[in-house]
Amino acid sequence: MRITALLILCLALLLSACKATSTPPPKVTVSGEAFNSVPLNARRLEIIENWQMPIEAPYIGHLQHPLPSALVAEWASTVLTPAGGSGELILDISRASITKVKLPKEAGLANALTDQQDSKIRVEFDAQLMWLQPVGGSQAMIKLSSSHSVTIPESSSANDVQRAVNDSLKIALAGLDRQARAELAKLDGIILP
């Protein structure tokens, strides 16, 4: 009887120590629902990736699927829609990075018993959008920049970290989209009805 009670107690402790695994977050995608197309006065869009992604700490963008620069390119292909008869748009991606930096821990007994912030995740996008329209001699260059950062606690699982990265990517991409739309609206003749 004692051995059975002891086994049940041990089994209950083991089961309570097991943490339920969380489901992995879905991949970040660019959809037409979130990003409406903008018809622009150009016949083609060229996307240039000038960002050489470092594959060393603190950079973690090379571990993401899809890659951050591929997300920016997918956003551009979805939103910046060439609908004119001449001219071209050139999107030059100069930065599409994700970094994860360890944060210093606060010392002390009170802090040892708390769930401190372990790391800071930062997503940064920088690009230039150039519009060259030979008909009428119009041209413009827009600098686009967006970033978002978040800290994650020590208790975060791998899925929690990936969820934080994905959320940061979505927020930074939405910021890039808002900025591009605002800057394009300032240019005469680039947005078609």
Side-chain angles (χ1 to χ4, degrees):
M1 181 76 173
R2 282 183 115 177
I3 294 175
T4 307
L6 186 59
L7 280 172
I8 292 173
L9 179 63
C10 288
L11 184 60
L13 285 173
L14 282 173
L15 288 175
S16 67
C18 293
K19 194 176 182 180
T21 57
S22 59
T23 58
K27 293 179 185 175
V28 178
T29 59
V30 177
S31 66
E33 299 154 7
F35 301 104
N36 294 327
S37 174
V38 178
L40 300 173
N41 188 9
R43 66 176 169 76
R44 70 184 206 100
L45 169 66
E46 181 179 351
I47 300 170
I48 301 169
E49 289 186 42
N50 276 325
W51 169 245
Q52 283 286 48
M53 187 179 339
I55 49 176
E56 57 194 25
Y59 294 95
I60 61 168
H62 61 284
L63 302 172
Q64 305 307 309
H65 185 72
L67 296 172
S69 57
L71 275 175
V72 174
E74 187 180 351
W75 164 81
S77 298
T78 302
V79 173
L80 307 174
T81 308
S86 65
E88 65 181 295
L89 294 162
I90 302 168
L91 181 73
D92 184 354
I93 303 168
S94 55
R95 184 177 192 86
S97 70
I98 305 172
T99 56
K100 181 180 175 191
V101 178
K102 282 284 205 191
L103 297 173
K105 304 281 188 273
E106 293 186 29
L109 184 57
N111 292 321
L113 302 174
T114 61
D115 191 15
Q116 294 187 43
Q117 295 301 304
D118 180 61
S119 302
K120 180 179 183 178
I121 294 172
R122 183 169 181 81
V123 174
E124 296 177 281
F125 295 138
D126 291 318
Q128 287 187 339
L129 179 62
M130 293 168 271
W131 177 46
L132 307 170
Q133 179 55 266
V135 178
S138 299
Q139 59 184 352
M141 182 169 30
I142 300 170
K143 291 189 180 217
L144 302 173
S145 181
S146 180
S147 66
H148 182 73
S149 62
V150 66
T151 58
I152 52 174
E154 293 173 307
S155 62
S156 298
S157 68
N159 285 338
D160 294 334
V161 173
Q162 187 61 52
R163 195 169 286 107
V165 168
N166 288 0
D167 290 345
S168 295
L169 279 166
K170 290 175 190 174
I171 292 168
L173 201 57
L176 195 72
D177 183 71
R178 278 191 308 276
Q179 184 184 15
R181 289 173 192 275
E183 293 297 320
L184 287 169
K186 294 177 187 176
L187 300 174
D188 289 334
I190 191 168
I191 298 177
L192 296 174

